[in-house]
Amino acid sequence: MDIMRKVAVGAVAVAGLSFFAAGTAAADPVPAPMPPPLPAPMPVPLPAGTYLGTTNVLGGDLIWKGKTFGPGWVMDNFGVFFPYIFGMTTPEAGGSLVTDYSPSGLPFLTDRITPRPDGTYEGTVYINGNPVAGYALHK
């Protein structure tokens, strides 16, 4: 008889909780929050392909030839000494493209490329966040 009493009390408790929960849910429904809107995609400043480059580094044009871009990556094209240096690119809201050269083992090296009105691109090279060189790219 003691077990039967425990089962009955348990059943009444479950029914009471179910009734309370159902009554509360029906009494004041709370709408689910709306998800935040997706951000608009940022325009990629450079279409994929190879761009010829010139630099303001003395003698730099003798070994540096430009850059090749793909979706989310860039390769700096050099002459014989270095076949390329690989980096990952990230577009910025202002239209610039930032390159991180960590994948090539150069975590201190970054650059920023900005489109010019004439269809060419202007870039700045940074070492540890300090600008050290400039360059220009064109098709």
Side-chain angles (χ1 to χ4, degrees), residues 42-45 72 89-98:
M42 290 186 280
V44 177
T89 59
T90 305
E92 289 186 322
S96 295
L97 188 67
V98 175

Side-chain angles (χ1 to χ4, degrees), residues 86-124:
F86 179 77
M88 301 302 293
T89 59
T90 305
E92 289 186 322
S96 295
L97 188 67
V98 175
T99 303
D100 171 20
Y101 289 99
S102 294
S104 288
L106 305 168
F108 54 87
L109 184 64
T110 57
D111 69 24
R112 176 175 278 111
I113 302 165
T114 306
R116 292 192 213 168
D118 65 359
T120 62
Y121 302 90
E122 183 175 1
T124 304

Side-chain angles (χ1 to χ4, degrees), residues 11-12 28 50 73 79 82 85 87 90 92 114 117 126:
V12 169
D28 30 31
T50 299
W73 59 268
F82 301 100
I85 295 178
T90 305
E92 289 186 322
T114 306
Y126 298 87

Side-chain angles (χ1 to χ4, degrees), residues 9-114:
V9 169
V12 169
V14 169
L17 286 174
S18 298
F19 178 74
F20 178 75
T24 302
D28 30 31
V30 177
M34 293 296 294
L38 294 174
M42 290 186 280
V44 177
L46 285 118
T50 299
Y51 293 77
L52 302 175
T54 57
T55 180
N56 64 0
V57 175
L58 185 62
D61 292 330
L62 297 174
I63 60 168
W64 184 71
K65 305 302 178 191
K67 295 176 180 273
T68 300
F69 293 89
W73 59 268
V74 65
M75 286 189 323
D76 276 64
N77 303 319
F78 288 88
V80 222
F81 303 114
F82 301 100
Y84 64 88
I85 295 178
F86 179 77
M88 301 302 293
T89 59
T90 305
E92 289 186 322
S96 295
L97 188 67
V98 175
T99 303
D100 171 20
Y101 289 99
S102 294
S104 288
L106 305 168
F108 54 87
L109 184 64
T110 57
D111 69 24
R112 176 175 278 111
I113 302 165
T114 306

